[in-house]
């Protein structure tokens, strides 16, 4: 097994070699006209993997977040990626399976089904579906394709012989996610969330049975699955459990707990040769469980904290598909190796970024499994590997703090350090950091988080860098998530969203503005600043007022002296990040950047034509500490936008 530090160095070198770009000229602070745009090149370059499948001696690996996404063919005999098949639609490849020598690929947002004929090298789009994504896919022994859809959670059968799709409906009425699927000669097995079910669907009659043991009925998901002639095994969230059920006698089952400290998820499963191989998160540990003897073994950590999208068997070896590469475990020798797909020729390209932040000398652009660091003086780009997705960032003095999905974790990084440092994971059924703020008067960092799918109530983390202590408050605003935060004189001002865990319908009608005392650690007040708004996507402050931007594109001013909303302004048609320099604010949507003069309370566009391709369809914007530049993206390129907030 490659030591983590050495692998990170190898992977970073490989990535840099694969994506060498022209250097950008030094970007010293200048006084360019406001709105002047400078293109800094691809914002985040990566090659994250979503799934994989063997056909013969070739491992086909599907990407996610690229444009277009690709399936790269790694010929094991020659130890190189020989071909890329472009998948022109969707933001990622989550699902793959095979029938004979044909490879089937399902995409995420939008949901399209493709076939790659591996003999002729042709790619054909077969069907499209209205669902948010094709999350999982499997083939039956007689060559039919079964797809698990998310939002809504239904099962669709596709017959390659006729080209006909058949809707098998929702295995569990009202549940939005089918996250794992398997098929044998008689049944389709569907793993469900946000309330866990393991449903066996009779392929002839449509009859449904829930195979999940009653003692697991309060779990969240059956998120991964594998089947053999005799058993079906599923990864159950969020207590990191594996359930193994005998098909002929579902009352005969075993529940196996992943043993790594802090383990929450079982994210990939494979039954092979009497063993169930499975991978856990957040540890990244690879386990195996022997069905006949009830023996559990810990095989190692292929890549620290990496998630595994798929586990496969080929010629007696076990392969794991992860964002950074592929691990290979040999049961005969016990050897565990790791391979970089980029080093073997897999295409690296500009991904859809997730966040942007400037410390004045560098711009961090968050993506999958890390962030690209753009040095402004030289144009040099380096990769900071992180096991997760940086969703929000802030710099305090010489330290940059990064809020990381999926573990609702906070990391810190100093320029020059080869790795980021894990400070804490939130827990409390939280997975998605939404914002970060720093309060100068207390020295505290505040990070709001969103709950895991299907769970109520977001949380608020209060972290003290001087002591390393973190306190988590949940709920902070009842049945809502804090989406944005700013802090002034020991008070955190919170802009909320009515959305709790993804997949759960909101139970409150209107987002709120709330105040939380950081010294007394107690809520002070909350109001509904505007009727019917779903979220407050950005909040910032001046010395006398708090400003919030809503999902409808309306800016409101909350006067701290009179304690009421005093003015509103329609800026655009959607929310986004909000930044303030002096008495000038800026925000953006996917196409334009807006300047807002807070004294007269007017707004105007200063940049258009961005067509920003942020992951998830959001709109991000960050301000340079000098107050002379904004950073965002045009298409998938990082751009610097000159501003003159005081002129």
């Amino acid at each position: 097994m490659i030591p983590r530090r050495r692998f990170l160095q190898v992977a970073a070198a490989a990535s840099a070699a694969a994506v060498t770009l022209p250097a950008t000229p030094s970007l010293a602070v200048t006084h360019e006209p406001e709105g002047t745009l400078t293109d800094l090149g691809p914002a985040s370059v990566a090659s994250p993997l979503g799934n994989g499948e063997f056909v013969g001696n070739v491992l086909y690996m599907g990407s996610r977040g690229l444009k277009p996404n690709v399936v790269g063919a790694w010929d094991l005999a020659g130890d190189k990626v020989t071909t890329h098949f472009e998948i022109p639609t969707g933001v990622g490849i989550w699902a793959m399976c095979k029938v004979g020598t044909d490879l089937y690929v399902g995409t995420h947002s939008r949901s399209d089904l493709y076939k790659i004929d591996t003999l002729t090298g042709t790619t054909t789009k077969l069907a499209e579906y209205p669902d948010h994504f094709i999350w999982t896919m499997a083939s039956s022994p007689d060559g039919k394709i079964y797809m698990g859809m998310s939002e809504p959670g239904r099962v669709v059968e596709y017959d390659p012989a006729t080209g006909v799709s058949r809707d098998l409906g929702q295995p569990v009425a009202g549940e939005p996610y089918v996250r794992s699927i398997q098929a044998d000669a008689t049944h389709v097995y569907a793993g469900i969330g946000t309330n866990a079910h393991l449903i066996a669907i009779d392929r002839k009659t449509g009859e449904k049975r829930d195979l999940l043991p009653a003692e697991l009925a309060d779990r969240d998901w059956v998120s991964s699955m594998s089947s053999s002639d005799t058993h079906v095994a599923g990864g159950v969230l969020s207590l990191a459990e594996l359930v193994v059920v005998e098909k002929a006698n579902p009352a005969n089952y075993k529940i196996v707990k992943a043993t790594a400290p802090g383990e929450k998820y079982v994210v990939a499963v494979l039954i092979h040769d009497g063993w169930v191989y499975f991978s856990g998160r957040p540890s990244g540990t690879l386990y195996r469980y022997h069905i006949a003897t009830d023996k559990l073994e810990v095989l190692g950590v292929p890549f620290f904290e990496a998630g595994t999208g798929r586990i496969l068997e080929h010629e007696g070896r076990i392969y794991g598909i992860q964002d950074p590469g592929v691990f290979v475990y040999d049961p005969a020798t016990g050897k565990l190796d790791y391979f970089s797909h980029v080093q073997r020729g897999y295409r690296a390209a500009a991904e859809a970024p997730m966040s942007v932040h400037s410390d004045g000398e560098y711009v961090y652009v968050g993506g999958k499994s890390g962030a690209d660091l753009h040095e402004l003086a030289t144009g040099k780009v380096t990769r900071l590997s992180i096991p997760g997705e940086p969703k929000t960032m802030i710099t305090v003095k010489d330290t940059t703090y990064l809020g990381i999905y999926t573990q609702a974790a906070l990391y810190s990084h100093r320029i020059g350090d080869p790795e980021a440092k894990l400070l804490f994971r939130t827990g409390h059924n939280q997975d998605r950091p939404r914002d970060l703020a720093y309060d100068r008067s207390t020295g505290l960092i505040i990070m709001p988080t969103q709950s895991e799918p299907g769970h109520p109530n977001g949380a608020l983390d209060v972290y003290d860098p001087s002591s390393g202590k973190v306190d988590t408050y949940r709920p902070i605003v009842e049945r809502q998530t804090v989406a944005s935060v700013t802090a002034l004189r020991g008070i955190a001002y919170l802009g909320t969203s009515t959305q709790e865990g993804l997949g759960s319908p909101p139970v409150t009608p209107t987002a709120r503005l709330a105040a939380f005392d950081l010294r007394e650690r107690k809520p002070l007040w909350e109001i509904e600043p505007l009727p019917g708004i779903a979220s407050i996507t950005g909040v910032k402050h001046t010395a006398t007022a708090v400003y919030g931007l809503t999902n409808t594109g309306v800016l409101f001013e909350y006067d701290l002296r009179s304690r009421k909303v005093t003015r509103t302004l329609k800026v655009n048609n959607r929310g986004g990040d909000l930044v303030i320099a002096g008495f000038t604010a800026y925000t953006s949507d996917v196409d334009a950047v807006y300047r807002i003069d807070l004294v007269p309370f007017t707004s105007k566009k200063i940049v258009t034509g961005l067509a920003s391709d942020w992951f998830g369809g959001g709109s991000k914007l960050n301000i340079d500490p000098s107050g002379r530049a904004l950073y965002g993206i045009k298409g998938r390129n990082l751009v610097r936008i000159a501003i003159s907030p005081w002129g």
Side-chain angles (χ1 to χ4, degrees):
M1 178 166 51
I2 301 177
R4 180 184 180 226
R5 181 178 296 274
R6 185 161 67 86
F7 178 80
L8 290 174
Q9 293 168 345
V10 169
S15 179
V19 297
T20 302
L21 301 167
T24 303
S26 174
L27 292 174
V29 173
T30 62
H31 297 284
E32 302 163 304
E34 187 163 72
T36 300
L37 190 146
T38 304
D39 192 321
L40 305 182
S44 179
V45 175
S47 53
L49 299 178
N51 209 309
E53 184 67 83
F54 272 101
V55 178
N57 202 38
V58 178
L59 176 56
Y60 292 86
M61 301 171 287
S63 72
R64 59 192 188 102
L66 305 186
K67 192 175 185 179
N69 283 289
V70 296
V71 175
W74 177 16
D75 184 342
L76 298 189
D79 196 23
K80 65 180 180 180
V81 175
T82 57
T83 310
H84 289 89
F85 301 91
E86 294 190 352
I87 306 298
T89 57
V91 301
I93 297 167
W94 263 249
M96 295 175 70
C97 70
K98 68 179 177 181
V99 176
T101 58
D102 291 332
L103 187 69
Y104 292 85
V105 173
T107 65
H108 163 108
S109 186
R110 46 188 275 185
S111 294
D112 293 336
L113 177 65
Y114 289 85
K115 182 182 82 171
I116 298 173
D117 185 325
T118 64
L119 299 181
T120 65
T122 57
T123 301
T124 306
K125 181 179 173 181
L126 301 175
E128 58 184 60
Y129 306 96
D131 311 85
H132 190 192
F133 37 28
I134 302 171
W135 188 270
T136 181
M137 188 158 57
S139 59
S140 62
D142 57 343
K144 291 188 172 60
I145 307 298
Y146 291 90
M147 292 169 281
M149 307 298 199
S150 286
E151 299 171 291
R154 66 185 183 124
V155 173
V156 174
E157 176 193 85
Y158 177 82
D159 187 347
T162 64
V164 174
S165 297
R166 183 166 67 105
D167 185 359
L168 301 185
Q170 287 188 294
V172 179
E175 290 294 343
Y177 300 108
V178 177
R179 284 294 173 94
S180 54
I181 202 162
Q182 290 287 288
D184 60 21
T186 59
H187 288 82
V188 178
Y189 302 89
I192 308 299
T194 56
N195 296 291
H197 298 272
L198 175 52
I199 304 297
I201 307 170
D202 189 296
R203 292 177 56 193
K204 287 185 177 180
T205 68
E207 179 188 359
K208 300 178 178 66
R209 289 187 303 156
D210 195 341
L211 306 185
L212 193 71
E215 60 205 89
L216 298 178
D218 64 346
R219 304 301 196 263
D220 305 332
W221 309 82
V222 178
S223 66
S224 52
M225 198 188 303
S226 181
S227 67
S228 67
D229 291 341
T230 56
H231 290 81
V232 61
V236 184
L237 309 186
S238 292
L239 298 177
E241 293 159 309
L242 175 78
V243 61
V244 184
V245 179
E246 185 179 351
K247 290 180 179 180
N249 179 21
N252 183 19
Y253 64 86
K254 295 290 180 65
I255 298 171
V256 183
K257 182 74 170 68
T259 56
E263 204 80 294
K264 292 178 66 177
Y265 310 128
V266 172
V267 292
V269 178
L270 172 72
I271 302 178
H272 172 64
D273 196 26
W275 294 87
V276 184
Y277 293 84
F278 63 102
S279 183
R281 287 198 79 184
S283 74
T285 301
L286 177 64
Y287 308 84
R288 69 174 182 175
Y289 168 76
H290 197 250
I291 298 172
T293 63
D294 205 30
K295 179 182 180 182
L296 175 67
E297 295 183 0
V298 175
L299 303 178
V301 181
F303 194 105
F304 180 64
E305 289 197 358
T308 305
R310 185 82 178 271
I311 299 178
L312 301 161
E313 181 274 335
H314 179 65
E315 295 186 347
R317 294 180 176 86
I318 306 301
Y319 289 72
I321 308 296
Q322 299 185 325
D323 265 359
V326 179
F327 69 76
V328 182
Y329 172 75
D330 188 342
T333 64
K335 186 179 181 183
L336 183 59
D337 288 315
Y338 210 96
F339 299 94
S340 166
H341 58 305
V342 174
Q343 284 185 327
R344 281 151 180 81
Y346 197 96
R347 181 184 299 176
E351 65 175 330
M354 302 185 188
S355 55
V356 62
H357 170 74
S358 171
D359 68 1
E361 296 182 3
Y362 288 79
V363 178
Y364 290 68
V365 181
K368 295 178 179 64
S369 298
D372 272 12
L373 274 59
H374 297 250
E375 187 175 14
L376 293 172
T378 65
K380 182 182 178 182
V381 181
T382 55
R383 185 72 174 178
L384 176 66
S385 293
I386 299 175
E389 301 172 355
K391 297 294 190 182
T392 179
M393 295 175 270
I394 190 173
T395 297
V396 180
K397 299 178 182 177
D398 62 347
T399 301
T400 295
Y401 296 88
L402 305 97
I404 305 298
Y405 171 85
T406 62
Q407 297 298 313
L410 186 68
Y411 279 73
S412 66
H413 180 252
R414 294 184 179 185
I415 295 299
D417 288 351
E419 299 179 24
K421 177 183 177 182
L422 174 64
L423 301 176
F424 66 84
R425 297 188 186 93
T426 301
H428 298 272
N429 293 114
Q430 305 291 294
D431 66 0
R432 189 182 305 267
R434 296 300 303 266
D435 201 1
L436 282 166
Y438 172 67
D439 179 54
R440 293 179 182 274
S441 62
T442 61
L444 298 174
I445 291 171
I446 307 100
M447 184 174 77
T449 58
Q450 186 171 6
S451 57
E452 295 168 346
H455 285 271
N457 289 319
L460 191 74
D461 298 317
V462 181
Y463 174 71
D464 186 345
S466 65
S467 66
K469 183 181 179 183
V470 59
D471 295 302
T472 300
Y473 302 89
R474 177 189 182 222
I476 189 68
V477 175
E478 188 72 37
R479 300 310 304 265
Q480 296 196 354
T481 295
V482 177
S484 51
V485 61
T486 192
L488 174 66
R489 296 190 292 269
I491 306 296
Y493 296 94
L494 316 174
T496 73
S497 168
T498 59
Q499 178 66 63
E500 300 175 274
L502 297 180
S504 300
V507 299
T508 54
T510 304
R512 298 169 192 165
L513 179 69
F516 182 82
D517 190 315
L518 294 169
R519 292 187 176 90
E520 298 294 327
R521 302 297 178 90
K522 64 180 183 181
L524 298 177
W525 50 260
E526 58 185 60
I527 65 166
E528 294 181 352
L530 292 171
I533 56 173
S535 65
I536 300 171
T537 60
V539 290
K540 288 293 184 286
H541 68 268
T542 61
T544 59
V546 172
Y547 296 88
L549 186 68
T550 73
N551 65 294
T552 59
V554 174
L555 183 77
F556 65 83
E557 176 186 73
Y558 178 84
D559 187 273
L560 293 172
R561 294 164 295 189
S562 64
R563 297 188 178 183
K564 64 181 181 180
V565 174
T566 50
R567 295 186 290 180
T568 63
L569 175 68
K570 180 71 170 178
V571 178
N572 55 25
N573 292 320
R574 58 182 295 167
D577 285 351
L578 184 68
V579 299
I580 289 182
F583 290 96
T584 305
Y586 298 88
T587 189
S588 66
D589 54 28
V590 294
D591 197 60
V593 175
Y594 302 81
R595 173 188 171 120
I596 306 164
D597 291 290
L598 297 175
V599 175
F601 223 55
T602 58
S603 68
K604 65 179 181 181
K605 291 182 182 180
I606 61 170
V607 173
T608 60
L610 292 179
S612 303
D613 192 9
W614 293 103
F615 184 84
S619 184
K620 305 292 184 181
L621 193 70
N622 192 247
I623 190 167
D624 189 273
S626 69
R628 293 290 184 182
L630 303 171
Y631 294 95
I633 62 169
K634 181 176 183 179
R636 294 191 174 189
N637 277 18
L638 178 66
V639 292
R640 177 186 183 272
I641 302 161
I643 57 173
S644 304
W646 298 282

